[in-house]
Amino acid sequence: MTAIRIEGLVKKFGDTAAVSDVNLEIPSGSLFFLLGPSGCGKTTLLRMIAGFTEPTDGRILFGDRNVARVPANERNTGMVFQNYALWPHMTVAENVAFGLEVRKLPKDRIDAKVREALELVRMGQYGKRKPAELSGGQQQRVALARAVVFEPSVLLLDEPLSNLDAKLRLEMRTEIRRIVDTLKITTVYVTHDQEEALSLADGMAVLDKGRVIQSGAPRDMYRRPATRFVADFLGDTNFLPAMLVTSDGREARYKTAAGELVSSAAPFPKATELALSLRPEALRLVRGAGQGRNALSGTVRSSVYLGDIAQHEIVLDGGTLALRVAELNPKNPPAAGERVSLEIDADDVVPLAS
C-alpha cells in the first residue's frame, strides 16, 4: 500500500492559479475524496497526481518517492475516467488486457489476470461482449477492472458515477467501496457530489478557487465545518446571523433576531458577529411552546410532504428570517399559517466566523 503526501502544490496556467499551495496527507489504503464546485481545481489536482499535468511548483510523494516530475506511465497508477474511455472495437476482455499487453506480460499471465479482474467487478461472464452491448453501470465496472488489473499502487477516479442514473450510482458506490476494501489500494476520488463523499470516504478535502478549505473525516467535516462555505457545500443548512454574548470555553451564548441560542460546538470563533449553522434535520418541530433552552417560535410558511420526510419552511417571529426544517417520518405535518416552535441541541448549533 502507498501513502500519498502533497506538499506546497501549485499549478498556474499563465497568470491564473488553478491550484494554490495544496498540502494533503492521504493514508495508504484509504478512499480519499477531492470535492468542490465546478472550477475549484479538484480535477487539475487529480491530473497532477496521475502525471497528466505537470505542477508549477511543489511535491507529490508516493511513499518516499517524489513523482511530481515523473511521467505518468512510470507512476504505477490506475485511472478511471468520467466517460469510461473503453475501446469500442475491442471486447471487454481485450479492453481489460490492453495495459497488460503494453507491459508485455506472457499471454497465459494476461488471461489469468483479466479473469481475476473481471470476477472482482462481477463481470466475469461478459468478457466476449463489446462495450456497446453493455449498460452504463457495466461499462463502469469494466473501466474499473482495466484500472486495477495491473495492480497499481494508486487508483484515481475522476467523477466515475456522473453519467449513471440515481439507482446505478447507489449500486456502484457500494461496488467501489467493496473493491477498494478488497484490494486495499490507496484511492483518490474526484466528485462534486457531497453525498458520494459522505457515504464512501475515509477522508476528504473540500476545495474552492484552487485551495483546500478544509480536510478531515466526513462526519467531522459535516458536523464541524470550519467555514460557511464548507457548511453550505456539505449538505443543506440554515445560517442565522448572531452576536456573541458570553463564552466560557465549554459553551457560548449568542443573540439572534429570533432569540438567544446556546452552542456547545467548540471550538468557538473569536469574532463577535458571525453566523450560526443550523442543519434542517437537527431542528425539531414542536406544536405549541418549546420546552428546551434553545427554542425559537414562528409560523409555518410552507410544508411539503415527501413520504419519508417533510420539508417545512418556518418564518421566525419578527418576520424577517425563515428556517428550513426536515421532519423524519412525518405523520401529521403542520398546515401553512400554523404557529409552531423549533428546538435544537446545543451541540448542533455551529458558530462560523466566515
Side-chain angles (χ1 to χ4, degrees), residues 299-303 312-314 333-339:
T299 304
V300 178
R301 174 185 288 170
S302 65
S303 182
H312 313 299
E313 188 176 19
I314 312 300
E338 185 175 339
R339 291 282 298 167

Side-chain angles (χ1 to χ4, degrees), residues 176-188:
I176 288 171
R177 182 76 258 185
R178 178 183 63 81
I179 290 166
V180 171
D181 289 343
T182 299
L183 298 178
K184 295 179 171 45
I185 184 171
T186 307
T187 303
V188 184

Side-chain angles (χ1 to χ4, degrees), residues 80-87 136 139-140 143 146 158-163:
V80 177
F81 298 93
Q82 183 176 349
N83 62 356
Y84 318 140
L86 300 177
W87 297 104
Q139 290 183 47
Q140 187 59 277
R146 184 181 58 186
D158 186 10
E159 302 205 38
L161 308 185
S162 61
N163 292 329

Side-chain angles (χ1 to χ4, degrees), residues 12-181:
K12 292 184 177 179
F13 296 99
D15 294 330
T16 302
V19 171
S20 300
D21 194 27
V22 166
N23 297 277
L24 283 174
E25 297 267 356
I26 302 174
S28 63
S30 66
L31 177 52
F32 193 91
F33 275 66
L34 302 173
L35 66 160
S38 297
C40 71
K42 58 186 183 294
T43 296
T44 301
L45 178 54
L46 188 78
R47 290 180 61 84
M48 285 192 284
I49 297 172
F52 301 146
T53 299
E54 186 170 315
T56 303
D57 198 8
R59 303 204 306 166
I60 303 169
L61 290 99
F62 287 3
D64 296 325
R65 181 190 181 206
N66 183 9
V67 299
R69 301 291 185 273
V70 174
N73 63 340
E74 296 178 16
R75 296 193 186 193
N76 195 34
T77 59
M79 183 88 174
V80 177
F81 298 93
Q82 183 176 349
N83 62 356
Y84 318 140
L86 300 177
W87 297 104
H89 63 286
M90 292 182 178
T91 66
V92 164
E94 289 168 344
N95 266 281
V96 176
F98 183 77
L100 301 175
E101 292 170 349
V102 170
R103 290 167 172 78
K104 301 187 183 303
L105 269 67
K107 188 177 185 310
D108 59 343
R109 181 65 176 148
I110 291 174
D111 292 343
K113 290 182 73 64
V114 168
R115 284 195 300 272
E116 290 173 7
L118 288 177
E119 287 298 332
L120 176 69
V121 299
R122 299 174 179 170
M123 290 290 290
Q125 69 271 40
Y126 295 94
K128 295 182 180 180
R129 294 194 185 184
K130 297 287 183 66
E133 301 174 277
L134 305 177
S135 68
Q138 290 171 331
Q139 290 183 47
Q140 187 59 277
R141 290 171 186 265
V142 175
L144 275 167
R146 184 181 58 186
V148 302
V149 68
F150 58 90
E151 299 177 12
S153 56
V154 173
L155 177 62
L156 306 173
L157 308 175
D158 186 10
E159 302 205 38
L161 308 185
S162 61
N163 292 329
L164 304 180
D165 63 37
K167 185 177 180 180
L168 278 175
R169 281 201 302 272
L170 289 173
E171 178 184 318
M172 286 306 300
R173 284 181 198 174
T174 303
E175 287 299 287
I176 288 171
R177 182 76 258 185
R178 178 183 63 81
I179 290 166
V180 171
D181 289 343

Side-chain angles (χ1 to χ4, degrees), residues 302-312 327-334:
S302 65
S303 182
V304 179
Y305 178 75
L306 298 173
D308 57 340
I309 64 169
Q311 297 175 343
H312 313 299
E327 182 185 4
L328 185 65
N329 190 26
K331 297 180 179 179
N332 185 25

Side-chain angles (χ1 to χ4, degrees), residues 33 224 281:
F33 275 66
R224 295 292 182 266
E281 70 275 12

